[in-house]
Amino acid sequence: MSGNDGCIIARSNEAKALGLKMGEPVFQVRDVIEREGVLCFSSNFSLYGDLSSRVMAILGRHTDLLQQYSIDEAFLRLNHLPPGDYKPYCEQIVRKIRRGIGIPVSIGIAPSKTLAKIASKYAKKYPGYHGVCQILTEEQRLKALGSFPVEDVWGVGRRTLRKLAFEGVVTAGDLAAKSETWIANTFSKPGIQTWLELNGKDAIALSELPEKKSMTVSRTFSSAISDRKQLEGELSNFMAACCRKLRDQHSACAQFVVFVGTSRFSEGGSNYLSGAVTLPVPTNNLQELLGYMLAAFRRQFAGGVPYKRGGIIITQLVDASAVQSDLFDVRDRAKDSRLQDTIDCLNVRFGKCFVRFGAQSPSSDNYRSSNLSPRYSTRLDEIMIVRS
């Protein structure tokens, strides 16, 4: 479930078969959950992050090039093997991860990333593949693309889908069969790259994927908050999360919005406060951003109002390596950067928020996580006990 156990955000195949939908509010399907004995779990990012790092460590030992794309996805290069060894080699990786970590993975083998993702989805869907599907021959490519929905192709968004539907493109095979001239006249570079990838040409580098142009960190609180300091603590944690994302993608923030709001279902109507800040010099330094955020929030804050939600919206992101400085800037940015790097290193080594600024809330007690699974691998007090 999502934050505060509100919505469904991940489902097993069995849950999907019951008709439970992604993003559906849990309270709306409570009758199905209780009738069918469905197990519900709160988000447990400490556990997920640790399991992800363990999976990536195993994958890294089986390739000379590992490119992690997300928390649960990576691309491996298998050039050190003859093609006939690809499938048994990857089946061995699947078994090692299942035996050593206890979770299933699926692997797709193909000459391009988009085809590999399609193969991986087939491997996940059909048990007969034993976790590994390969698309290496022209016959395999045509068969796989012929029954694969075009809306599930990596890189095909809603606007692209409307164009394709107008042209009668239903499957990935229909898209791959379009002429190069038609593709060039219809799409920009990303669309052309997708077409090339579907035709077996490795055309997408992870470094070419677009970075986020905006980001939001927000949360609905489990109980309303009217105390200014408590609200500032929660908002400071949201800003810290934004800063981590900024630094992860080597971006800086030029403008942001801080907001809080009452419940949309409150008797007196909803009350929404927001403050926008444009920075003199774009930055991803938490200390500096906290100062601007707190000043903007305090100018807008109205006491005695029970706020039920809040967040940070960053609307202008720039490349951190190409920030235009200000002639009258008085901050020692080199010193700020060294301090931030030190804090980041300590938090990586000893745990998130091991070192934090005083404005940040020390915990997340205001979030509902009544179905949190144990953090077996990162908390000694929650480690699994086995008796024999």
Side-chain angles (χ1 to χ4, degrees):
M1 297 174 288
S2 62
N4 286 314
D5 297 347
C7 297
I8 297 169
I9 58 171
R11 303 155 297 158
S12 66
N13 289 331
E14 294 83 355
K16 292 176 185 177
L18 293 175
L20 298 176
K21 298 179 176 61
M22 180 72 74
E24 197 167 27
V26 174
F27 78 89
Q28 292 184 356
V29 291
R30 184 62 67 185
D31 56 335
V32 177
I33 290 171
E34 293 177 354
R35 183 179 68 247
E36 302 292 341
V38 177
L39 299 178
C40 298
F41 296 92
S42 304
S43 298
N44 189 342
F45 296 111
S46 297
L47 179 64
Y48 307 155
D50 184 64
L51 292 181
S52 172
S53 65
R54 293 174 185 229
V55 170
M56 297 303 163
I58 291 177
L59 294 178
R61 292 198 293 267
H62 290 81
T63 178
D64 61 348
L65 178 63
L66 173 70
Q67 296 175 293
Q68 185 171 352
Y69 179 56
S70 65
I71 191 172
D72 65 346
E73 191 169 7
F75 294 102
L76 290 73
R77 186 167 66 189
L78 300 177
N79 290 354
H80 62 292
L81 297 171
D85 290 347
Y86 289 166
K87 195 172 192 301
Y89 187 76
C90 289
E91 287 176 350
Q92 181 185 16
I93 296 174
V94 169
R95 289 194 296 270
K96 281 187 178 181
I97 293 174
R98 188 62 185 261
R99 183 172 64 247
I101 301 175
I103 61 174
V105 296
S106 59
I107 297 178
I109 305 169
S112 72
K113 295 180 179 65
T114 302
L115 283 178
K117 285 173 68 68
I118 290 172
S120 177
K121 289 187 178 182
Y122 279 118
K124 183 178 181 179
K125 186 175 181 179
Y126 298 107
Y129 285 117
H130 303 293
V132 180
C133 174
Q134 59 184 14
I135 302 175
L136 296 179
T137 67
E138 183 66 4
E139 181 184 359
Q140 290 170 339
R141 186 184 71 85
L142 293 174
K143 182 179 179 181
L145 298 187
S147 58
F148 195 84
V150 73
E151 62 264 27
D152 292 337
V153 173
W154 187 37
V156 173
R158 281 178 290 185
R159 284 191 297 180
T160 302
L161 196 58
R162 285 195 292 268
K163 287 183 185 178
L164 296 175
F166 182 78
E167 295 290 336
V169 175
V170 177
T171 68
D174 295 335
L175 178 57
K178 286 291 184 180
S179 70
E180 186 173 2
T181 302
W182 184 87
I183 292 292
N185 291 334
T186 306
F187 297 111
S188 58
K189 182 180 177 181
I192 296 171
Q193 288 176 315
T194 296
W195 178 81
L196 290 170
E197 290 254 330
L198 289 174
N199 283 284
K201 298 176 177 63
D202 188 15
I204 299 176
L206 292 188
S207 58
E208 292 181 323
L209 295 177
E211 301 287 7
K212 293 180 180 178
K213 298 302 181 183
S214 64
M215 59 179 63
T216 301
V217 176
S218 63
R219 190 69 62 89
T220 298
F221 311 127
S222 62
S223 58
I225 304 173
S226 55
D227 180 72
R228 179 175 65 84
K229 283 196 172 182
Q230 189 177 356
L231 279 169
E232 289 179 354
E234 301 294 347
L235 292 170
S236 296
N237 285 347
F238 298 157
M239 181 59 83
C242 282
C243 285
R244 284 195 297 272
K245 293 181 179 182
L246 285 172
R247 292 192 294 277
D248 284 345
Q249 71 170 46
H250 309 291
S251 296
C253 166
Q255 187 179 75
F256 70 86
V257 174
V258 54
F259 72 90
V260 291
T262 58
S263 172
R264 288 169 288 184
F265 309 104
S266 58
E267 294 181 359
S270 60
N271 187 348
Y272 183 87
L273 299 178
S274 67
V277 178
T278 300
L279 304 174
V281 178
T283 183
N284 57 24
N285 183 269
L286 178 56
Q287 182 181 14
E288 183 178 3
L289 286 169
L290 282 178
Y292 285 113
M293 185 275 292
L294 293 172
F297 174 69
R298 289 167 184 171
R299 285 194 297 269
Q300 301 290 331
F301 178 73
V305 178
Y307 294 104
K308 196 72 171 69
R309 56 199 173 96
I312 304 291
I313 304 172
I314 293 179
T315 54
Q316 290 188 22
L317 275 65
V318 300
D319 187 342
S321 64
V323 170
Q324 179 67 46
S325 60
D326 188 286
L327 181 62
F328 303 103
D329 186 19
V330 296
R331 291 192 69 93
D332 186 344
R333 298 192 176 274
K335 182 179 179 181
D336 287 350
S337 181
R338 291 195 299 272
L339 175 61
Q340 187 67 68
D341 288 345
T342 301
I343 292 173
D344 288 346
C345 288
L346 289 170
N347 286 336
V348 167
R349 182 174 180 181
F350 297 106
K352 187 172 67 174
C353 292
F354 178 79
V355 178
R356 62 180 184 274
F357 288 94
Q360 292 179 249
S361 176
S363 64
S364 300
D365 295 336
N366 208 278
Y367 306 135
R368 188 185 301 116
S369 297
S370 55
N371 296 278
L372 189 69
S373 53
R375 291 159 288 190
Y376 299 109
S377 58
T378 58
R379 293 285 295 267
L380 282 174
D381 57 335
E382 296 181 19
I383 197 169
M384 187 180 294
I385 298 174
V386 178
R387 293 183 175 89
S388 60

